[in-house]
Amino acid sequence: MEGTSLYLPIVILLMQCSPSAPVTVSTNKHKVEVQEFSDAVLSCTFRTERDPNPRIEWKKKGKDVSFVYFDGHFKGPFEGRATIDGATVTLRGVTQEDAGEYRCEISAPHDSVNLGETNVTLKVLVPPQTPSCEIPSGAVTGSVVRLHCRDRHSIPPATYSWYKDNQQISPPRNANATYLINSRTGVLEFKAVAKEDTGRYSCLASNGVGLPKMCEGKHMTIEDVNVSAVVAAVVVVCLVIVICGCGGLVLHRNGFFSRHRGRSFWISQCHGAAHISSQTLHRTEDTSNVNYIPPPQEPQDFKHTQSFML
């Protein structure tokens, strides 16, 4: 007992001589992620050396630093929708406008180190919206076809999967696949579509926040190239060229191009299959009078004709 009493003054002296801890500020979560329209808790804890009532401030970083909590009150858009417990702030119904970096500052004027701070980053998550889908209604076999799917509002960015006739299209397993799927950009690309690619296509957007959303399906029809129509069109073009060429040759032999408006006039009459018949008929009527030479008239007859016309 006597030995204990001897050590007690020494212990007290050491406690008085030991340095006190200055103001310290910390948080239990530097990165906070919450879904849009829910509550966000920005934690801030502190310990001071001597000052029992330090000044608490919250600020938000951006283009300019703005006050969130100052002089015992919330400021600006946080007024009426935020609470504080100690130095921990709770924001209610957060939106994208609330996302950003926040700083908790504790000022203790009576401490040897009178200022401490910690940062908290708030990320507001947005579930997928119904994506916009671009799906062609039809294409011909062998052509390159791209289907697009995009949701510009989800945070984090959505990933995409494609469905055909309500069955998910599996990602291609090798480089020889006839199609490609980019889950980040939402593009489904067919290198060369075939008739079996005909079907109803839709796209699903998901990002792990809330429920995935799917766009309305759209039917895409793949058809073979109409060979008979192509052949018929080629035959018609060839006939037009032959008719124009033969007609031009005949008129050239009859001196049409030297006595009338020239070869360019005839070529212009060959434009358009719908006008070929009428123009050909018109040119035929003109050529019937190409070699016509009126009989010579006696001078007196010419004068008589003039007086008659007058």
Side-chain angles (χ1 to χ4, degrees):
M1 191 71 180
E2 293 179 358
T4 305
S5 61
L6 291 176
Y7 287 108
L8 184 59
I10 299 174
V11 172
I12 296 174
L13 180 63
L14 291 174
M15 291 178 62
Q16 291 178 348
C17 294
S18 61
S20 300
V23 59
T24 57
V25 183
S26 62
T27 179
N28 58 17
K29 202 169 186 179
H30 284 283
K31 293 184 178 180
V32 178
E33 293 185 356
V34 296
Q35 190 168 333
E36 191 175 28
F37 306 122
S38 62
D39 296 346
V41 178
L42 312 180
S43 73
C44 179
T45 58
F46 64 91
R47 184 178 60 185
T48 60
E49 181 182 1
R50 298 186 183 91
D51 200 332
N53 297 307
R55 186 177 66 191
I56 302 172
E57 294 180 1
W58 274 92
K59 298 176 182 178
K60 183 183 179 185
K61 297 180 181 180
K63 293 182 179 179
D64 299 314
V65 177
S66 58
F67 279 105
V68 176
Y69 182 82
F70 176 74
D71 196 21
H73 301 282
F74 286 97
K75 303 294 182 180
F78 302 97
E79 186 177 1
R81 53 180 289 262
T83 59
I84 190 167
D85 182 13
T88 297
V89 167
T90 299
L91 304 179
R92 295 193 298 269
V94 295
T95 65
Q96 284 301 306
E97 297 295 327
D98 299 320
E101 186 175 353
Y102 292 79
R103 184 171 69 227
C104 174
E105 296 181 357
I106 305 297
S107 177
H110 301 294
D111 287 13
S112 56
V113 178
N114 55 23
L115 180 64
E117 62 182 39
T118 188
N119 294 323
V120 179
T121 300
L122 174 61
K123 185 176 183 179
V124 180
L125 306 178
V126 179
Q129 309 296 306
T130 301
S132 60
C133 296
E134 297 177 10
I135 304 170
S137 58
V140 296
T141 55
S143 61
V144 177
V145 177
R146 294 183 181 89
L147 284 65
H148 297 268
C149 179
R150 191 66 174 167
D151 171 21
R152 301 183 182 276
H153 303 286
S154 58
I155 299 175
T159 56
Y160 307 94
S161 53
W162 280 93
Y163 289 75
K164 176 188 175 186
D165 298 329
N166 297 324
Q167 298 294 323
Q168 185 175 357
I169 303 174
S170 301
R173 298 180 180 178
N174 53 64
N176 297 325
T178 59
Y179 64 91
L180 298 172
I181 296 179
N182 191 322
S183 60
R184 292 183 296 104
T185 62
V187 175
L188 168 60
E189 178 180 341
F190 292 94
K191 299 177 182 179
V193 290
K195 293 199 69 175
E196 54 266 25
D197 294 322
T198 294
R200 187 177 183 83
Y201 289 84
S202 56
C203 170
L204 183 72
S206 58
N207 69 346
V209 182
L211 297 176
K213 293 294 182 65
M214 178 176 286
C215 68
E216 184 178 355
K218 185 177 180 180
H219 193 80
M220 181 175 71
T221 303
I222 309 300
E223 297 179 347
D224 290 326
V225 178
N226 194 337
V227 179
S228 59
V230 174
V231 172
V234 172
V235 170
V236 170
V237 172
C238 292
L239 287 175
V240 171
I241 294 175
V242 170
I243 291 173
C244 289
C246 293
L249 181 61
V250 171
L251 295 178
H252 178 70
R253 289 180 177 179
N254 291 333
F256 176 81
F257 293 126
S258 60
R259 300 182 185 184
H260 290 272
R261 285 171 285 182
R263 185 177 302 176
S264 60
F265 175 79
W266 170 252
I267 294 175
S268 66
Q269 305 308 310
C270 294
H271 289 169
H275 298 85
I276 292 177
S277 299
S278 60
Q279 295 300 332
T280 304
L281 179 61
H282 184 260
R283 291 280 71 77
T284 303
E285 293 176 352
D286 287 348
T287 54
S288 63
N289 296 324
V290 167
N291 296 324
Y292 175 75
I293 302 176
Q297 294 180 338
E298 295 296 330
Q300 60 273 17
D301 294 338
F302 178 73
K303 293 179 180 180
H304 177 72
T305 302
Q306 282 186 328
S307 62
F308 177 78
M309 294 296 293
L310 293 173

